[in-house]
């Protein structure tokens, strides 16, 4: 910022920039309302012109036929005959019917424009920042006060940014989203988050980057990103330096990635099943074929003699 040609730096300049950007976000919404109201008014002007033209055409027809049309849209014949009076009534009915249509269109259009412009009266510009009350004595510093985060911060796994967030939605010092160009700090676009003091970083293209410190059992620290290129643009989870955004216990996310924290030992591979033990031969059965001391078997047995040569 360079008011009067002099570069303005410091905490006051940063506070002014944040305030100006907050007002810019509100004004953008008001501009959309004004554009819609303007479009309604343009279409309404065409409708009113056409309806008004039909009323004037009916008046011109009555006058061209020799009748006088009053300011109250009454029609008076110049001749007092019954036929002239009947024709005057016909002209008067046509003129009054078209005039009634013009009045109905005018009322409906006014109601539509009033309804479309209603959000303009609901917007206000806060002159002082909303901050959490300080209980007791606090050391004075030269930073812009911000709402206190009621949730105690827990350090993430090693490999992720170890510093505490600079504020709700803002990253630790030295951590930047993966986008080129200047970044502007401003209120979060979600009303529910903004009501809790949430802030975001906005890139030069209007994209919103909100830092999530990953303080639950499903997420690691990551960026929540919305390009705001359409009224219904969706939020995406963007990893920090390519790291996973979701812990392994989480369900498959719509965006981002699941994985172990950096530096974690890989899970051991399952051990190969042990081979089954070799089958042992069955023990010999005692019976008639057994001998003693290695001698010939005892008991009845058959001795096969070689056959005589033929």
């Amino acid at each position: 910022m360079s008011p009067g040609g002099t570069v303005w730096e410091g905490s006051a300049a940063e506070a002014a920039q944040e305030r100006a950007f907050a007002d810019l976000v509100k004004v953008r919404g008001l501009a959309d309302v004004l554009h819609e109201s303007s479009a309604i008014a343009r279409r309404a002007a065409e409708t009113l012109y056409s309806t008004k033209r039909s009323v004037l055409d009916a008046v011109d027809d009555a006058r061209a036929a020799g009748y006088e049309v009053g300011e109250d849209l009454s029609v008076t014949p110049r001749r007092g005959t019954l036929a002239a009076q009947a024709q005057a009534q016909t002209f008067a009915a046509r003129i009054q019917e078209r005039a009634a249509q013009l009045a109905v269109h005018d009322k409906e259009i006014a109601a539509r424009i009033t309804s479309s412009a209603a959000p303009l009266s609901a917007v206000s510009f806060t002159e002082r920042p909303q901050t959490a009350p300080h209980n007791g004595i606090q050391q004075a510093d030269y930073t812009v006060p911000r709402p206190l985060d009621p949730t105690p911060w827990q350090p993430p796994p090693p490999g992720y940014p170890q510093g505490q967030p600079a504020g709700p939605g803002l990253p630790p010092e030295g951590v930047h989203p993966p986008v080129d160009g200047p970044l502007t700090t401003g209120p979060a676009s979600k009303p529910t988050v903004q009501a809790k003091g949430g802030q975001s970083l906005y890139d030069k293209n209007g994209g919103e980057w909100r830092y999530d410190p990953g303080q639950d059992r499903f997420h690691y620290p990551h960026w929540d990103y919305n390009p705001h290129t359409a009224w219904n643009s969706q939020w995406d989870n963007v990893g920090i330096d390519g790291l996973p955004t979701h812990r392994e216990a989480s369900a498959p996310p719509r965006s981002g990635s699941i994985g172990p924290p950096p530096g974690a030992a890989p899970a051991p591979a399952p051990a190969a099943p042990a081979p089954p033990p070799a089958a042992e031969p069955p023990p010999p059965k005692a019976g008639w074929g057994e001998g003693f001391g290695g001698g010939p078997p005892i008991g009845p047995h058959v001795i096969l003699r070689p056959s005589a040569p033929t």
Side-chain angles (χ1 to χ4, degrees):
M1 300 180 65
S2 303
T6 302
V7 177
W8 188 19
E9 299 178 342
S11 59
E14 295 175 357
Q17 291 176 351
E18 293 179 1
R19 168 60 191 277
F21 189 83
D23 292 347
L24 175 61
V25 173
K26 291 184 179 181
V27 170
R28 283 177 176 172
L30 299 181
D32 293 338
V33 172
L34 290 174
H35 285 308
E36 179 62 23
S37 300
S38 176
I40 294 175
R42 284 195 298 269
R43 294 191 297 267
E46 298 175 359
T47 301
L48 290 177
Y49 177 83
S50 176
T51 308
K52 177 183 176 182
R53 186 67 262 171
S54 68
V55 175
L56 296 178
D57 290 342
V59 172
D60 292 340
D61 291 342
R63 289 175 175 171
Y67 295 85
E68 295 181 359
V69 180
E71 293 293 332
D72 58 350
L73 303 182
S74 61
V75 179
T76 304
R78 296 178 182 177
R79 300 183 302 274
T81 62
L82 294 178
Q85 292 179 359
Q87 186 65 29
Q89 292 178 359
T90 301
F91 280 124
R94 184 183 305 167
I95 293 172
Q96 292 172 5
E97 178 184 4
R98 296 184 181 182
Q101 292 177 353
L102 176 61
V104 169
H105 286 318
D106 183 76
K107 185 176 181 180
E108 291 177 349
I109 291 169
R112 280 159 44 193
I113 294 177
T114 301
S115 176
S116 65
L120 296 176
S121 60
V123 175
S124 61
F125 293 88
T126 305
E127 294 300 327
R128 303 185 63 180
Q130 300 294 327
T131 59
H134 298 291
N135 298 324
I137 300 175
Q138 177 179 338
Q139 182 179 359
D141 60 10
Y142 298 96
T143 60
V144 180
R146 59 175 180 269
L148 302 179
D149 188 354
T151 304
W153 177 80
Q154 299 294 330
Y160 288 93
Q162 296 297 304
Q164 295 193 30
L170 299 180
E173 184 178 357
V175 179
H176 302 279
V179 63
D180 296 329
L183 297 169
T184 305
T185 303
S189 62
K190 291 184 177 180
T192 54
V193 178
Q194 185 180 136
K196 298 178 182 179
Q199 294 182 302
S200 298
L201 298 177
Y202 292 85
D203 58 36
K204 61 182 180 180
N205 298 319
E208 181 176 0
W209 298 86
R210 178 170 174 79
Y211 182 76
D212 187 324
Q215 295 294 292
D216 57 55
R217 62 190 184 96
F218 297 113
H219 296 87
Y220 296 117
H222 65 276
W223 294 100
D224 292 330
Y225 171 65
N226 192 323
H228 290 306
T229 54
W231 67 270
N232 59 345
S233 295
Q234 294 185 343
W235 289 85
D236 290 324
N237 299 135
V238 179
I240 298 177
D241 296 332
L243 297 176
T245 59
H246 292 71
R247 301 177 187 265
E248 294 174 299
S250 65
R254 185 186 62 81
S255 62
S257 60
I258 296 179
E280 297 181 358
K285 296 181 180 180
W288 287 96
E290 299 291 334
F292 293 92
I298 301 175
H301 59 280
V302 178
I303 299 175
L304 300 176
R305 297 182 181 276
S307 58
T310 57

